Amino acid sequence: MMAFFFKLPFKLAVLLIAGVAAATLWNQATLSVLALTRIDPLPETRSLIAEERYAEAADYLGFFMTYDYVGNSPEAQILYQQIEESRSQWRYQLGKLSEGLLRGSSDETIGQIASVATDFMVIGDIRDLANQGVNLAQGEDVDEVMVALASLGVLATGAQVASGVGTAASGGAAAPAVAGTTVTKSSLITLKTARRLGQLPGWLGRSMVTAARQARETRRLGQLKTLFRDINVLASTRGGMRMLAKTQDAVELRRAARFAETFGHQSASLYRVGGQVAMDVAQGAGRLGKGTILLAATFGQKGLVALDKVGALRFTKLISRGGKMVYKGDVLTLIAKMLLALPKWWLYSVIALAIWLWMPRRLMSVLWKPFRQRHISTS
């Protein structure tokens, strides 16, 4: 049996397999890129349409339409056109307008404008305070966070009016104060909307309750300036509410705001595809490049991880080299996936076996001699 292991055909086969194993271990990062398959956005888009979330469906599919593998697909083009036709219908627009006026939240621009308009004119704050007052009178639970946000909104509106008067009296000297109170007001509106939708993170709700208590004493909101600036960035970005809901503290809020500033209207779809991985990789946008990160996102979270590992230049070269790859996959992708699926212990074992088989017997005897002598002396 041992003689079989030392026959030339077997030794050559093991040597060949060991070579493949060594190449696999050496090129793990390269193979991880070649093994990527692009996302097919159509199933997710259809799910959003089924839930009548047309604005999200348009953003999500639109994100991928900029790339040829989706943009040149007749099926994707027809689906995108159907979404836009549904969004342009007057009944749909009227419904979104009512949604903004009555519920104070909407995923469409017309509803968002209506919601913001009522809150900017303090009507929304008074409405929310009145609703909580009714709850108190009827013995129902009072939402302390909503009361705090509405109270801060009333205070911010007063500051806005005062700043506006100062601007008129001073010929524009108070304009920065008006801008500051506008940011504050916009941020509070966003937080109230998030609260209604159940997307306001607990840490931020507690911060607002504390801030409202302090504001009642000082009549000032200056201590929230940085926080409100970051919230306002997310408020100005479609899908920013989803990112806001995932934050755990002010540091994560800052990161989310930088992410939204960097990727603008593409932030929501990028975050939907990559989640926290996209947020982490985006911190290196200056090094990796905005366009490369968006390209990597079409391969999902694995694409973003691979980009971070190999770097922008190498990632782009490897992707262009496998230019025939589409989301259905091809032979090159399949081979790369099969090689990556091999356990590392197995790869190392094959390499060790090849070394043992091809090592000269005389050299092996010399190497093993000290171990043999030690064994004899101990026994």
Side-chain angles (χ1 to χ4, degrees):
M1 184 67 180
M2 286 296 295
F4 171 77
F5 285 103
F6 291 99
K7 287 185 177 180
L8 185 60
F10 178 78
K11 290 174 66 176
L12 288 173
V14 172
L15 182 63
L16 178 62
I17 296 172
V20 174
T24 301
L25 289 169
W26 183 261
N27 295 288
Q28 287 279 304
T30 300
L31 288 171
S32 68
V33 176
L34 295 177
L36 295 173
T37 53
R38 276 184 147 159
I39 293 174
D40 177 7
L42 299 188
E44 177 70 10
T45 303
R46 291 194 181 96
S47 295
L48 292 170
I49 292 172
E51 297 172 9
E52 298 186 353
R53 294 157 64 183
Y54 295 105
E56 288 184 55
D59 282 347
Y60 180 73
L61 183 56
F63 176 84
F64 291 94
M65 290 288 285
T66 57
Y67 298 96
D68 290 343
Y69 83 101
V70 175
N72 292 337
S73 165
E75 190 178 1
Q77 293 171 1
I78 293 171
L79 188 60
Y80 191 78
Q81 185 178 353
Q82 289 173 349
I83 294 169
E84 291 303 300
E85 287 175 356
S86 297
R87 295 177 73 195
S88 64
Q89 291 177 2
W90 68 268
R91 283 184 181 145
Y92 174 80
Q93 291 292 320
L94 182 61
K96 292 298 176 181
L97 175 62
S98 302
E99 191 176 73
L101 288 171
L102 301 177
R103 293 175 51 191
S105 64
S106 177
D107 60 349
E108 287 285 1
T109 302
I110 188 170
Q112 291 167 356
I113 292 173
S115 173
V116 169
T118 58
D119 273 302
F120 260 108
M121 293 185 295
V122 86
I123 296 171
D125 294 319
I126 295 173
R127 174 196 62 205
D128 294 331
L129 287 172
N131 288 340
Q132 296 306 315
V134 170
N135 289 345
L136 179 63
Q138 293 178 347
E140 298 177 3
D141 292 337
V142 174
D143 189 337
E144 288 187 15
V145 176
M146 189 62 78
V147 171
L149 292 171
S151 300
L152 290 170
V154 172
L155 180 60
T157 301
Q160 195 171 28
V161 172
S163 298
V165 172
T167 301
S170 58
V178 173
T181 51
T182 300
V183 168
T184 299
K185 194 68 180 170
S186 175
S187 300
L188 289 168
I189 293 168
T190 301
L191 295 179
K192 287 205 295 181
T193 303
R195 184 66 175 178
R196 293 189 189 100
L197 298 175
Q199 293 183 328
L200 184 68
W203 74 270
L204 197 47
R206 292 189 294 272
S207 297
M208 292 301 104
V209 172
T210 302
R213 289 172 184 158
Q214 294 173 348
R216 279 197 290 270
E217 298 173 1
T218 63
R219 311 300 297 174
R220 298 178 67 178
L221 299 170
Q223 72 274 20
L224 297 171
K225 184 177 179 180
T226 302
L227 197 68
F228 282 156
R229 184 172 62 243
D230 292 337
I231 292 169
N232 194 55
V233 170
L234 295 177
S236 305
T237 306
R238 186 187 291 277
M241 203 83 72
R242 188 178 295 109
M243 288 182 275
L244 176 68
K246 298 294 184 181
T247 60
Q248 298 293 324
D249 51 37
V251 175
E252 290 190 5
L253 177 62
R254 179 86 278 268
R255 291 177 76 238
R258 282 203 299 264
F259 178 82
E261 284 176 329
T262 301
F263 293 99
H265 70 279
Q266 294 170 311
S267 302
S269 297
L270 179 57
Y271 188 73
R272 178 186 288 277
V273 169
Q276 195 59 43
V277 174
M279 194 83 73
D280 294 339
V281 174
Q283 303 308 307
R287 169 176 55 89
L288 298 172
K290 176 182 172 182
T292 313
I293 291 174
L294 293 171
L295 172 64
T298 64
F299 296 91
Q301 289 190 357
K302 290 182 178 179
L304 292 165
V305 171
L307 169 63
D308 200 36
K309 280 184 179 179
V310 306
L313 183 60
R314 192 175 173 193
F315 181 86
T316 306
K317 283 183 177 179
L318 289 170
I319 291 301
S320 60
R321 188 184 301 170
K324 292 186 291 182
M325 289 192 295
V326 294
Y327 58 81
K328 292 180 181 178
D330 63 2
V331 175
L332 182 61
T333 303
L334 181 60
I335 293 173
K337 284 183 175 179
M338 289 173 62
L339 291 174
L340 286 174
L342 295 172
K344 286 188 177 181
W345 66 264
W346 187 88
L347 298 173
Y348 282 115
S349 299
V350 171
I351 294 171
L353 177 61
I355 294 172
W356 179 70
L357 287 174
W358 285 91
M359 183 179 292
R361 300 302 102 192
R362 185 175 299 174
L363 177 60
M364 188 179 295
S365 298
V366 172
L367 292 174
W368 276 99
K369 188 175 181 180
F371 296 98
R372 197 179 301 116
Q373 289 176 344
R374 187 181 302 172
H375 176 73
I376 293 171
S377 62
T378 54
S379 61

